[in-house]
C-alpha cells in the first residue's frame, strides 16, 4: 500500500513497481498485429442464430458462429482429416454445419477464422502458433497419417462428449446437464511425435492427437481412476461449502536446485500449557471506539483485578471478547466504571466542564479456548487451523504494544521507534513493526517485520493548511477548491485548543464553516444576546483573532453550530493518515522504508529485543515464550531457464545470470511489424527536431532488436498542447489514414512524447487510443527523450514488440516440449487480479482483470479482459455469466469462456489443462474465492461442451505478506546478489510454511534496492497433481518470460499482466461511476449494455460498464 503505480509505458528500466494487490475493455489477444510474421486470427463474437435450439440458447460451442460456410468434420484420432460438408446431424460443439467455418477445400478451421484470417507462410502452410517459418516444425508425425497439403496442419478431432461430429455422438433426445463442481476426469493424452526443426526450436502451437470420445465417456463414467501415473485426480463430489473443501496436502518437499540455508523473520513461539477461558464483554452505553473500550476494561482491571478476578490479568480484543489463563471466580458479573471524557463539545461556543462518563460492564463466561486442537494441527494430525486459539494468542501478544504504541491493523507505530521523516503537505512518517502469530511447520511462529506509515504532523492547524496548499494563506483568500481540499484533509482529525493555557481540551473536526470567522456570530444566552466569534474570544480569553478571513473549524455535533478559529487549534499527535498519498509523499515514504537486508535484519532483531517478550506481563500470565533468534530455514536455489532468441542473431539463446540478461547480439524470437507509425509530441520542452531524432533512434533500436520497423513515420512529428489531446489524436489518426499507402490503412503504432509531469494526460490518451480509435501507443517521458540511453531504447523496443503482436523470448524447454504438465498437452495459463479504489474513494468500482496464454507450447502471449464490479468486491463476478437475450433465450458468456475460445482460435487446440494464478487474495478469503471462482471456471468449460472439464490447478499468489528471507552469511558473496539479497530462484517450502498444505515462498527476482520480498504461492486446488518441484520450477521459469524487461520478475507474469490490465482499465472510467449496469468491457458474448445483471449474489449494486476496447487492441498485449 506504500507504492504508487507508475504508468506502465513510462517506467521500463527495471522491474516495474506494482500496486494494489482502471478501465479497459475486456480485450483478448488471440493473435498478433496485422502484418506481423505468423499473424494470429481474431474472430467476431460467437453468436448462435435465433433458430438454433440449444440448452444454452446459442451460448455453447467452440467455433465462432458467424461467417464461413459448410460443415467440416473431424474424424479419427489425429492426422486423419475429412473435409466434406455432409448433412447436418447433432452437433455437441453447438453449431450446425452452416455455421462452421470452412477452408478453401472445405476443411474446417478449429482455430476459428475463415481462410483469410489464417496465418500462412510463403509456401501456404498455416502457422497456428503465430511464429515465422523458421520456428515451425519441419515434419509432423501424427497418429493418423501424412500431413495434408495446402490447408494447414492436421486438425485434432473433438468427437462425442468432447464436441465435434466425429466419433461418438450423443442421441439428439438425450439431455445434457452442466456438471457440478467436482474433480476433473483423467483424460489420457498422447502428444504428437515431433522431429526437431533445423534451428532446434520446437513447434509453435502444433495441433496434437486427441483421444477418442469413447475413451472420454468411459473415463467420465468411471468416477474412480486407479491409474497412479495419471495427471489428474479422481472425480470427487462438488464441495458445497468451505466446510467440505480441503486444500491440497503438500505432495512432498521439493528437491531441485542447490541447497542452502537462509534466515527468516519468524521467531519460534512456545505453545502455552494453560487453561484458557473466553468471556463475553458487554459495555453499556455501546461505543464504537476500541480505544474507549480498552480504557474502560483497563480501569476495571485496575480496580477489581485482585478483589474480584483472582488476580488474573485478562487479554481484551477491544470489542466483545476477554480471555484469561484460568477461570474467573464467577460465570457472570456486572461492574460499574467511571471514565473522564477527553473529547468535548461546545455549547453555544462555550466549553462545558469535562464530563465523567459512566459505563456498565457485564463479563460473562463463554467457552474454553482449546489449545489441544492447535497442537494437533501444528503436528499435522488435524486439517483445519483452530482460528479461535490462534486469535487468543495473537490478542495476548498485542496487549502490551497496544498500550505502548499506536496500533494500526496488525502493526504498531511510535515516534520513538525511529526518526520521524517529513513527507510534505503536513504529513510525517512514523516507524513501527508488524507482528502476527502464525502456524508453521516448526510450530507456532511470531512473524515480526519493520514498517512505516504516514501520520498527520502535530502542527498548528494554520501551519498545516499552509503546507497543504503550499502557500501563505494570509496573502489571499481561499478559493472554493482550497476549501474542499482543507475540508477533505481535516475531516475527522482530532485537535486540541491552545488559547486556554494548560487546559488542552480535545475536539474532533466535522467540517468547515461556509462563512469567514469575522462573519460568524452565535447566541450566548437565553435572551437572544448574540456575539461574534471574534468579540467572544477577545472578551472571554483576551485572544485577538488575526486570520479573520479564514473559515472556522466546525467541531462536535453537526446539528449545533460549534466553532473554533483555526489559529487556536493544534493537531493532536498520533493520528494516522489513511487517505491517498500523492507521488511526492510516496517517494519520501519509500526512501524511509527502503532498507538493505542487513540493516532490516538488524532492526528486526532490535525490535524483538526491545519488545522483551520474556518480561511482558501478558505473555508471562499466559505462559507464552518467544525465541529471540531468527529462524534458520533450509532453502534451495532453482537454476534459471535457458531462453530462446531468433536464429538470425549472433546469440540464439541465453542462460540468465543472477536473474538478468541483456539484448546485446540477440534478436527477438518473433519480431513484430510496424509499417505505418506516427509521433505526437505533447511536451513544450521538446523541439520538433529533437522528437524526430528520438523517434529515428527508437526505430533503429527496434530494427536491431529484430522487428520489421519502418525507418520513417507516415507523417512528420506533430506538436500539440496537452489540453487538446483528444483533438490532436483524432486529427492525426485520420491524417495518417489518408497519407498511408494504400489510403485507409490504420497506424500500427503511435509514439507519444509526454511532459515529465503530465497529470491526467497519460490516462486520457490511453482511453482515447484504446477505446475510441483502436490505436496501440507507446508513451515516452521528456527526460528520456533528452537522455536517449541505449538501455532505455532497448526496453521500449521490448514493450513495442509485444504491443504489436510479437514475442520477445520463449523458454527453450517449452519449445522442446520438456515442461511436464504444460507442454505434453494443450495447457492454458490464466492470471487474475482485482484492484480496488484508493482509500477515500467510496463510490469507485473495483476492477477485475483476467489474462490467459494464447500460445502453446510457448506460453508467452497473454490476452486480457477487464470488468468493473461492485466497490471493494474481491470475487471476480464476470468469470462466468448467464443472461436472457430476447432473440436467443438463455445465453452464457464471461471472461473465462472468451479466453478459452480465444486460445482455441489462436492455437487450433482446446485447452486440456488449466493453471490459474490468482493474485490479491488474503488468507481469510481463500475458501470464498476458491468456491466461487472454481465453480465459474467449471461452468464456463461446460458451456462450451458437455462434459468438457479440463483438470484445474488453482494457485493464489501473495505479495502482501511480511515474511522476509535473509542470507545466512551476508558476507558470503556466493549466496547474495549485488543488492545483498538472497539469490533469484531461492525457494522455501519447509519450516516457516504451512504445517500440511501445499505452499512455498519463491524469491524469483534479483533485488534492486531494499529487501526483496518473496512471493508466497498457496495451492488451493490441484487436479493436475503437480509435484513440489514441478510447480516451483514452472513458476520460477515463467518469471523469466515477462515481456517488459530482461530480468526475472517477482511474481509470475500472468498475475503481473492481470494487475497491469486492471490498472490500465482505471484510466477508462469516468469520475461518476454510480449508475448503469456492469458488464465486461469488450468481452464478446456479454449481455448488452444496460441489460440485466447476470448474477444477483452480489446484490443489485449497479456499476457503470467500462467502454469496450477496439478489436485490434484486444488482440495484443496492449497493457504492457
Amino acid at each position: 500500500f506504500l507504492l504508487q503505480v507508475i504508468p506502465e509505458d513510462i517506467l521500463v528500466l527495471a522491474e516495474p513497481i506494482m500496486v494494489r494487490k482502471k478501465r479497459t475493455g475486456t480485450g483478448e489477444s488471440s493473435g498478433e498485429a496485422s502484418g506481423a510474421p505468423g499473424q494470429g486470427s481474431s474472430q467476431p463474437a460467437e453468436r448462435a442464430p435465433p433458430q438454433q435450439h440449444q440448452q444454452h440458447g446459442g451460448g455453447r460451442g467452440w467455433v465462432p458462429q458467424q461467417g464461413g460456410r459448410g460443415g467440416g468434420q473431424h474424424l479419427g484420432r489425429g492426422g486423419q482429416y475429412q473435409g466434406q460438408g455432409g448433412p447436418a446431424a447433432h452437433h455437441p460443439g453447438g453449431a450446425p454445419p452452416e455455421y462452421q467455418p470452412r477452408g478453401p477445400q472445405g476443411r474446417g478451421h478449429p482455430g476459428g477464422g475463415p481462410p483469410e484470417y489464417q496465418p500462412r507462410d510463403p509456401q501456404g502452410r498455416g502457422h497456428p502458433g503465430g511464429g515465422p517459418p523458421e520456428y515451425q516444425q519441419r515434419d509432423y508425425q501424427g497418429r493418423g497419417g501424412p500431413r495434408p497439403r495446402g490447408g494447414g496442419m492436421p486438425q485434432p478431432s473433438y468427437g462425442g462428449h468432447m464436441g465435434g461430429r466425429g466419433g461418438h455422438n450423443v442421441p439428439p433426445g438425450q439431455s445434457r446437464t452442466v456438471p457440478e463442481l467436482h474433480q476433473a476426469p483423467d483424460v489420457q493424452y498422447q502428444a504428437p511425435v515431433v522431429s526437431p526443426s533445423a534451428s532446434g526450436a520446437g513447434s509453435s502451437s502444433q495441433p496434437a492427437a486427441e483421444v477418442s470420445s469413447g475413451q472420454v465417456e468411459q473415463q467420465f463414467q468411471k468416477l474412480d481412476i486407479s491409474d497412479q501415473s495419471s495427471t489428474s485426480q479422481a472425480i470427487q463430489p462438488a464441495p458445497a461449502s468451505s466446510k467440505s473443501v480441503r486444500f491440497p496436502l503438500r505432495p512432498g518437499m521439493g528437491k531441485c536446485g542447490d541447497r542452502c540455508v537462509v534466515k527468516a523473520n519468524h521467531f519460534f513461539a512456545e505453545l502455552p500449557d494453560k487453561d484458557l477461558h473466553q468471556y463475553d464483554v458487554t459495555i453499556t452505553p455501546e461505543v464504537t471506539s476500541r480505544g474507549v473500550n480498552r480504557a474502560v476494561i483497563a480501569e476495571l482491571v485496575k480496580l477489581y483485578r485482585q478483589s474480584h478476578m483472582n488476580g488474573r490479568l485478562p487479554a481484551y480484543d477491544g470489542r466483545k471478547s476477554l480471555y484469561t489463563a484460568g477461570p474467573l471466580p464467577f460465570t457472570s458479573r456486572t461492574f460499574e466504571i467511571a471514565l473522564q471524557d477527553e473529547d468535548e463539545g461546545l455549547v453555544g461556543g462555550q466549553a462545558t466542564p469535562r464530563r465523567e462518563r459512566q459505563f456498565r460492564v457485564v463479563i460473562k463466561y463463554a467457552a474454553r479456548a482449546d489449545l489441544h486442537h492447535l497442537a494437533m494441527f501444528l503436528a499435522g494430525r488435524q486439517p483445519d487451523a483452530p482460528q479461535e486459539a490462534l486469535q487468543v494468542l495473537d490478542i495476548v501478544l498485542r496487549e502490551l504494544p497496544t498500550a505502548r504504541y499506536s496500533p494500526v491493523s496488525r502493526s504498531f507505530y511510535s515516534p520513538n521507534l525511529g526518526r520521524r521523516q517529513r513527507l510534505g503537505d503536513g504529513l510525517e512518517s512514523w516507524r513501527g513493526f508488524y507482528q502476527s502469530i502464525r502456524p508453521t511447520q516448526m510450530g507456532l511462529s511470531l512473524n515480526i517485520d519493520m514498517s512505516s506509515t504516514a501520520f498527520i504532523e502535530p502542527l498548528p492547524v494554520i501551519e498545516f493548511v499552509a503546507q497543504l496548499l503550499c502557500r501563505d494563506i494570509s496573502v489571499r483568500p481561499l478559493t472554493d477548491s482550497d476549501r474542499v481540499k482543507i475540508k477533505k484533509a481535516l475531516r475527522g482529525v482530532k485537535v486540541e485548543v491552545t488559547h486556554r493555557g494548560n487546559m488542552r481540551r480535545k475536539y474532533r473536526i466535522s467540517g468547515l464553516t461556509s462563512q469567514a470567522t469575522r462573519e460568524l456570530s452565535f447566541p450566548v444566552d437565553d435572551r437572544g444576546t448574540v456575539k461574534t466569534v471574534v468579540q467572544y474570544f477577545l472578551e472571554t480569553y483576551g485572544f485577538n483573532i488575526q486570520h479573520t478571513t479564514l473559515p472556522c473549524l466546525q467541531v462536535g455535533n453537526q446539528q449545533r453550530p460549534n466553532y473554533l478559529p483555526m489559529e487556536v487549534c493544534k493537531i493532536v499527535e498520533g493520528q494516522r493518515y489513511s487517505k491517498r498519498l500523492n507521488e511526492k509523499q510516496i517517494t519520501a515514504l519509500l526512501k524511509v522504508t527502503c532498507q538493505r537486508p542487513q540493516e532490516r535484519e538488524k532492526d528486526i532483531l532490535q525490535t524483538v529485543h526491545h519488545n522483551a517478550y520474556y518480561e511482558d506481563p501478558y505473555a508471562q500470565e499466559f505462559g507464552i515464550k518467544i525465541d529471540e533468534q531468527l529462524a534458520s530455514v533450509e532453502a534451495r536455489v532453482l537454476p534459471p531457464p535457458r531462453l530462446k532468441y531468433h536464429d538470425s542473431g549472433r546469440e540464439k539463446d541465453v542462460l540468465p545470470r543472477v536473474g538478468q540478461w541483456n539484448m546485446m547480439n540477440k534478436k527477438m524470437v518473433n519480431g513484430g511489424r510496424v509499417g505505418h507509425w506516427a509521433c505526437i509530441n505533447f511536451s513544450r520542452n521538446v523541439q520538433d527536431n529533437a522528437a524526430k531524432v528520438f523517434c529515428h533512434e527508437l526505430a533503429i533500436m527496434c530494427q536491431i532488436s529484430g522487428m520489421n520497423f519502418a525507418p520513417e513515420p507516415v507523417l512528420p512529428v506533430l506538436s500539440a498542447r496537452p489540453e487538446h489531446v483528444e483533438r490532436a489524436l483524432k486529427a492525426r489518426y485520420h491524417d495518417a489514414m489518408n497519407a498511408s499507402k494504400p489510403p485507409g490503412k490504420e497506424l500500427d503504432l503511435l509514439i507519444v512524447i509526454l511532459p515529465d509531469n503530465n497529470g491526467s494526460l497519460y490516462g486520457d490518451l490511453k482511453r482515447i487510443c484504446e477505446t475510441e480509435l483502436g490505436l496501440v501507443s507507446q508513451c515516452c517521458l521528456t527526460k528520456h527523450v533528452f537522455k536517449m540511453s541505449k538501455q532505455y531504447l532497448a526496453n521500449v523496443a521490448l514493450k513495442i514488440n509485444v504491443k504489436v503482436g510479437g514475442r520477445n523470448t520463449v523458454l527453450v524447454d517449452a519449445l522442446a516440449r520438456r515442461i511436464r504438465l504444460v507442454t505434453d498437452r494443450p495447457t492454458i495459463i490464466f492470471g487474475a487480479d482485482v484492484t480496488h479504489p484508493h482509500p477515500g474513494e467510496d463510490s469507485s468500482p473495483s476492477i477485475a482483470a483476467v489474462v490467459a496464454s494464447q500460445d502453446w507450447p510457448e506460453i508467452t502471449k497473454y490476452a486480457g479482459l477487464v470488468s468493473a464490479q461492485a466497490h471493494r468486491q474481491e470475487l471476480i463476478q464476470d468469470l462466468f455469466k448467464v443472461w436472457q437475450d430476447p432473440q436467443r433465450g438463455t445465453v452464457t458468456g464471461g471472461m473465462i469462456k472468451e479466453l478459452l475460445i480465444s486460445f482455441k482460435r489462436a492455437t487450433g487446440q482446446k485447452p486440456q489443462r488449466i493453471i490459474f494464478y490468482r493474485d490479491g487474495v488474503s488468507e481469510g478469503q481463500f475458501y470464498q474465492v476458491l468456491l466461487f471462482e472454481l465453480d465459474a471456471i467449471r461452468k464456463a468449460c461446460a458451456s462450451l461442451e458437455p462434459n468438457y472439464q479440463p483438470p484445474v490447478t488453482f494457485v493464489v499468489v501473495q505479495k502482501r505478506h511480511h515474511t522476509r528471507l535473509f542470507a545466512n552469511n551476508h558476507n558470503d558473496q556466493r549466496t547474495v546478489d549485488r543488492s545483498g539479497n538472497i539469490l533469484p530462484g531461492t525457494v522455501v517450502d519447509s519450516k516457516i510454511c504451512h504445517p500440511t498444505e501445499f505452499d512455498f515462498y519463491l524469491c524469483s527476482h534479483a533485488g534492486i534496492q531494499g529487501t526483496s520480498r518473496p512471493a508466497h504461492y498457496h495451492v488451493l486446488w490441484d487436479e493436475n497433481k503437480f509435484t513440489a518441484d514441478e510447480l516451483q520450477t514452472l513458476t520460477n521459469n515463467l518469471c523469466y518470460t515477462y515481456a517488459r524487461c530482461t530480468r526475472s520478475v517477482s511474481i509470475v507474469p500472468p498475475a503481473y499482466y492481470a494487475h497491469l490490465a486492471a490498472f490500465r482499465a482505471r484510466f477508462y472510467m469516468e469520475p461518476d461511476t454510480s449508475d448503469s449496469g456492469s458488464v465486461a468491457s469488450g468481452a464478446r458474448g456479454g449481455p448488452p449494455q444496460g441489460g440485466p445483471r447476470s448474477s444477483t449474489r452480489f446484490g443489485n449494486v449497479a456499476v457503470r460498464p467500462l467502454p469496450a476496447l477496439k478489436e485490434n487492441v484486444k488482440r495484443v498485449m496492449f497493457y504492457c
Side-chain angles (χ1 to χ4, degrees), residues 690-704:
K692 185 179 176 183
V693 170
F694 173 78
C695 289
H696 181 69
E697 290 295 319
L698 182 57
I700 289 172
M701 179 57 79
C702 289
Q703 290 172 353
I704 291 169

Side-chain angles (χ1 to χ4, degrees), residues 878-990:
D878 286 340
L879 287 181
F880 178 73
K881 296 186 295 184
V882 182
W883 71 97
Q884 294 298 320
D885 182 270
Q887 275 77 41
R888 295 182 293 161
T890 304
V891 184
T892 61
M895 293 163 135
I896 298 290
K897 183 173 181 177
E898 291 303 318
L899 291 166
L900 290 171
I901 292 170
S902 181
F903 179 94
K904 173 76 160 41
R905 281 198 201 110
T907 66
Q909 308 267 25
K910 285 185 315 181
Q912 295 196 23
R913 184 182 287 113
I914 292 174
I915 301 169
F916 197 93
Y917 285 103
R918 176 66 156 90
D919 193 11
V921 182
S922 63
E923 287 176 11
Q925 297 171 309
F926 278 4
Y927 284 111
Q928 194 184 9
V929 167
L930 176 68
L931 285 168
F932 182 80
E933 296 183 5
L934 182 61
D935 183 55
I937 294 168
R938 289 284 170 76
K939 286 174 177 170
C941 292
S943 73
L944 288 163
E945 263 176 34
N947 293 341
Y948 172 59
Q949 292 294 318
V952 177
T953 296
F954 194 106
V955 186
V956 166
V957 187
Q958 292 176 302
K959 282 285 281 183
R960 299 188 136 205
H961 60 80
H962 284 269
T963 293
R964 299 291 181 275
L965 302 174
F966 304 99
N968 195 43
N969 178 1
H970 291 282
N971 299 318
D972 185 350
Q973 294 305 308
R974 295 168 303 171
T975 63
V976 293
D977 62 20
R978 281 188 301 181
S979 67
N981 280 288
I982 55 173
L983 294 171
T986 301
V987 64
V988 170
D989 59 4
S990 64

Side-chain angles (χ1 to χ4, degrees), residues 256 820-821 1024-1035:
C256 285
R820 208 178 89 77
L821 297 180
N1024 292 300
K1025 288 290 184 70
F1026 276 94
T1027 66
D1029 279 331
E1030 284 164 352
L1031 189 60
Q1032 290 165 10
T1033 301
L1034 170 65
T1035 302

